[in-house]
């Protein structure tokens, strides 16, 4: 019987030190999993260091190693998309190069999908050790909020590390949107997913590419991509303001009729005016966020530009 092919997609951005360590580790894992044939797609996401030459070195010595090199940094989401487009495997795995996604789980994940019971085996971190507490706190908040306001099921602590069936990959590739929030897309396409929990592992080399600010923007992107609830907030706030001003008008008219008109209350008036201006700017901002997303979407720009591939 022909061996099933498993494609491994590895997005890399300035990972010159991690690549050799990752590759050595994976070599051992692949020996254990010799029932499968493997294929790598390293995605060099416009790295400024020697990432590409490290990948090329592997490519020269190992025919299973392929790569796409982007013309600039397009982000991990674009890297994942490029990998999925190029993957030829019956099963497709997405994996970080920093060994924060334990390769030991790969066998179990492949078995899950091969059994046919599941279309996808995905992983989630159950601990966040080694991460700043403030980051964990906001991450938890984000998952709570997005699951309340969006229909896509986004699991707390979900990693991008997962193995998917060919069918699921083809479904994901049909989603051509420019603002890609993979965690949402994976859930949106449906299919049966087995969740495998694991304990957080620290990076082997290099450092994380995600600053707090970048993560914050990324979470807003996620919310804009998978929920329109913030847009309804504008209408709800509008209705509430109308209601309170109506009550206020009646109160003032009645009071003036009973006790005469007294000029007073300027400070409170200023407070009310500023608050309303704040609410208006907030809702304008929310509308602007969706408008900007729609604007980028209608331009139909490519998700990534490949400078070189092999
Ligand atoms: N990555 C990428 N493009 C980027 C940022 C990150 O391809 O613009 C890759 C990176 O090389 C790594 C993976 O995405 O393989 C995860 O990045 P990182 O380890 O910095 O994220 P964290 O694990 O801290 O969430
Ligand atoms: Mg990492």
């Amino acid at each position: 019987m022909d061996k099933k092919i498993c494609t491994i997609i590895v997005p890399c951005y300035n990972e010159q030190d991690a690549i050799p360590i990752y590759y050595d580790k994976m070599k051992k894992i692949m020996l254990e999993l010799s029932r499968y044939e493997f294929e790598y797609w390293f995605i060099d996401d416009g790295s400024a260091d020697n990432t590409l030459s490290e990948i090329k070195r592997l490519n020269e010595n190992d025919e299973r190693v392929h790569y796409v090199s982007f013309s600039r940094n397009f982000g991990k989401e674009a890297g994942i998309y490029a990998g999925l487009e190029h993957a030829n495997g019956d099963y497709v795995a997405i994996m970080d190069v920093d060994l924060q996604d334990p390769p030991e789980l790969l066998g179990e994940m492949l078995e899950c999908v091969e059994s046919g019971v599941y279309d996808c085996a995905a992983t989630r971190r159950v601990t966040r050790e080694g991460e700043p507490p403030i980051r964990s706190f906001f991450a938890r908040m984000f998952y709570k909020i997005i699951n309340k306001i969006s229909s896509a099921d986004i699991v707390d602590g979900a990693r991008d590390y997962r193995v998917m069936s060919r069918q699921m990959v083809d479904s994901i590739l049909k989603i051509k949107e420019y603002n890609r929030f993979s965690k949402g897309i994976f859930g949106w396409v449906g299919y049966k997913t087995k969740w495998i929990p694991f304990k957080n592992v620290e990076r082997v080399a290099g450092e994380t590419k995600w600053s707090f600010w970048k993560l914050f923007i990324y979470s807003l992107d996620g919310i804009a991509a998978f929920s329109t609830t913030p847009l309804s907030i504008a209408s709800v706030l509008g209705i509430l303001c109308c209601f309170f001003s109506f009550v206020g008008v009646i109160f003032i008219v009645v009071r003036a009729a009973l006790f005469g008109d007294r000029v007073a209350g300027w400070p409170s008036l200023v407070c009310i005016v500023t608050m309303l201006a704040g609410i208006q700017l907030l809702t304008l901002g929310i509308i602007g966020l969706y408008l900007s997303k729609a604007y980028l979407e209608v331009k139909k720009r490519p998700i990534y530009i490949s400078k070189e591939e092999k």
Side-chain angles (χ1 to χ4, degrees), residues 11-14 43-48 68-83 85 177-182 209-210 214 217-218 221 293 296 300-309:
C12 305
Y13 178 50
N14 293 345
I43 315 296
D44 165 36
D45 188 8
S47 303
V68 180
S69 178
F70 289 176
S71 60
R72 65 168 171 86
N73 180 245
F74 278 88
K76 185 181 177 187
E77 298 291 347
I80 293 177
Y81 183 77
E85 265 191 341
E177 63 195 43
Y178 183 79
N179 296 291
R180 297 189 81 78
F181 183 68
S182 288
K209 311 297 177 296
W210 294 91
K214 255 179 134 178
I217 299 289
Y218 182 62
D221 283 350
K293 295 292 165 200
L296 287 174
K300 291 214 164 34
R301 283 189 184 157
I303 294 167
Y304 66 91
I305 294 172
S306 154
K307 188 174 167 206
E308 204 184 326
E309 51 187 80

Side-chain angles (χ1 to χ4, degrees), residues 90-199:
D90 303 293
Y91 310 116
V92 178
I94 301 169
M95 230 172 154
D96 285 2
V97 73
D98 55 11
L99 288 178
Q100 277 192 304
D101 295 336
E104 294 81 10
L105 294 176
L106 195 60
E108 184 187 342
M109 291 161 79
L110 279 166
E111 268 165 33
C112 270
V113 180
E114 194 174 26
S115 71
V117 181
Y118 296 98
D119 305 282
C120 170
T123 57
R124 52 186 284 261
R125 284 191 300 185
V126 285
T127 60
R128 287 177 168 270
E129 277 149 33
E131 200 183 65
I134 181 97
R135 193 168 146 171
S136 311
F137 171 75
F138 277 102
R140 294 232 162 79
M141 283 245 300
F142 167 71
Y143 286 112
K144 273 211 186 103
I145 292 174
I146 196 154
N147 280 315
K148 279 235 165 69
I149 63 177
S150 116
S151 55
D153 183 21
I154 298 168
V155 175
D156 186 0
R159 302 276 309 169
D160 290 327
Y161 182 28
R162 48 172 64 226
V163 172
M164 293 176 281
S165 65
R166 183 76 250 169
Q167 193 188 11
M168 183 164 173
V169 171
D170 289 340
S171 303
I172 291 172
L173 284 173
K174 282 197 191 126
I175 300 178
K176 303 275 184 214
E177 63 195 43
Y178 183 79
N179 296 291
R180 297 189 81 78
F181 183 68
S182 288
K183 284 184 175 56
I185 292 176
F186 294 145
W188 189 89
V189 293
Y191 294 106
K192 239 180 135 182
T193 301
K194 161 102 178 158
W195 285 97
I196 300 175
F198 73 94
K199 287 212 172 81

Side-chain angles (χ1 to χ4, degrees), residues 18 33 56 65 77 126 183 198 208 249 261 291:
L33 297 174
K56 279 185 177 164
V65 174
E77 298 291 347
V126 285
K183 284 184 175 56
F198 73 94
T208 176
V249 166
D261 192 15
L291 183 68

Side-chain angles (χ1 to χ4, degrees), residues 239-260:
I239 291 169
L240 281 178
C241 285
C242 288
F243 175 74
F244 283 120
S245 63
F246 184 66
V247 173
V249 166
I250 292 178
F251 173 76
I252 287 166
V253 168
V254 170
R255 194 180 62 173
L258 293 181
F259 305 105

